[in-house]
Every structure is written in structure tokens, then in C-alpha cells.
Amino acid sequence: MFEIPDLLREYDRARAYTDQLWTDLSADEVAWRPHENFSAIGWHLGHQAHVAHFMIRNLTAAEPSPDPELDPVMDSANPEPGRGRLPDLSRLAAFRADVADSIHRRVGAIRDGRVGAPRQLTIVAKTLLTALINHEYQHDQWIGEVRSGDLGHALPDRPKSDLITELDGYLVVCDPRW
């Protein structure tokens, strides 16, 4: 199984790739929806962070949301037409950065043994980081398809790493024993 420092680097690499997919787009492009029942790029960006926050919060430490008003907007359990208005780009970027900082703080505490049950939480953290990375790349696939196919922008090179492979067209972290 991969180690926490490797997985944290991969999480940062996945987030950096996501940023390459959207930070050069206009606010209108980030908010554009191909159909009323499809999500905008901006929703996927917030959803990636929303899921990461809730997973770290529910599996390792109870922390309040960095932006509670965004929680119902970014929750995929809410049907697309009723989710609410997307935040502006700076708020979206701040939300993503705040969640990533929280993940680094909490997983860093686990890595350093500054938690109760450090060995058990190490297993949880490794599994959690693997899921977060794969979730980030899962949504990157859709963002990239809209970016290139619908909005006509070139795609950046996909990240390269010894930890990731491609399955069914998606980048994933996959323990070689799986």
C-alpha cells in the first residue's frame, strides 16, 4: 500500500491538474451547463472539495464546513435543478484551498501520530486519500470533456506519476495488489 506522504503528493498533483483544467476559463464557461440536468464545471469543482471535506470530517475528525452555505449546492444528493447558485470563481477557489489545507492538517496529524489510535487512523487516511484522489480525477474526466468538446479549449497534458494508472479512460490510484 502507498504511504501517506506519497498519497498527499498525489492529492496535490490531482488538484493541480484540476486547476489546469479550469483556471484559464471565463466565469461564464465555468458556470455553463450543457443541459438543464447537467452540472457546470463550477459545480464539479465545488463538489470535489465538498466530498473531500465530508469524508475527512466524517472519517477522521469532526470539523465544521469551511463554507456551510455551499454544502447544499455541492451535494450530489440534491437534484441538479434545485441545487442553487454557484459561487463566484474566487469563492470557489478559496473553498477548494481551504478543504485541501484541512486535509493536509488532519492527515499530517495522523501521519505524525498526533491522534488517538494512530495505526488505525493511518489505514483510514491511506484509504481516504486514495478515494479522494480517484474522486478528483473522476470529475476531472468530465471537466476535461466539457472543456475540450463543448468549450473548444485544448487539454493540458495528463499528470504523470508512478502511483496512477488509467482504467476505462480515467486516471486512478490503484494499489498494485488490486
Side-chain angles (χ1 to χ4, degrees):
M1 182 175 263
F2 303 117
E3 297 303 319
I4 286 177
D6 299 323
L7 290 166
L8 282 171
R9 277 191 298 279
E10 194 60 46
Y11 174 66
D12 291 341
R13 185 184 340 273
R15 289 186 61 257
Y17 180 64
T18 303
D19 287 346
Q20 290 179 334
L21 290 170
W22 79 278
T23 56
D24 65 333
L25 300 178
S26 71
D28 287 342
E29 289 172 317
V30 171
W32 179 78
R33 292 170 42 189
H35 181 278
E36 72 177 17
N37 288 316
F38 281 53
S39 302
I41 287 173
W43 179 82
H44 287 269
L45 298 168
H47 173 73
Q48 288 167 316
H50 172 76
V51 167
H53 164 70
F54 274 88
M55 288 183 73
I56 199 81
R57 179 193 90 170
N58 289 332
L59 297 175
T60 69
E63 291 185 2
S65 174
D67 194 334
E69 291 176 8
L70 292 184
D71 292 343
V73 176
M74 302 306 173
D75 190 340
S76 60
N78 295 327
E80 172 59 46
R83 287 184 185 150
R85 186 176 173 90
L86 290 174
D88 63 42
L89 298 184
S90 62
R91 185 174 177 192
L92 190 56
F95 180 60
R96 288 177 56 81
D98 289 347
V99 169
D101 289 346
S102 173
I103 288 168
H104 272 272
R105 272 192 315 276
R106 184 63 182 156
V107 172
I110 293 167
R111 176 198 60 221
D112 298 342
R114 294 181 281 117
V115 295
R119 292 186 312 164
Q120 183 268 346
L121 279 175
T122 294
I123 298 301
V124 170
K126 289 177 181 182
T127 305
L128 172 64
L129 284 169
T130 299
L132 294 181
I133 294 162
N134 290 342
H135 184 251
E136 190 82 12
Y137 284 136
Q138 176 187 11
H139 285 272
D140 286 350
Q141 182 70 23
W142 191 90
I143 293 168
E145 290 170 4
V146 170
R147 175 192 172 87
S148 65
D150 294 303
L151 301 176
H153 292 280
L155 289 172
D157 291 337
R158 292 182 116 185
K160 304 277 191 251
S161 166
D162 291 339
L163 272 65
I164 58 175
T165 190
E166 186 175 316
L167 296 175
D168 301 326
Y170 290 82
L171 297 177
V172 294
V173 170
C174 185
D175 188 307
R177 297 174 293 179
W178 297 344

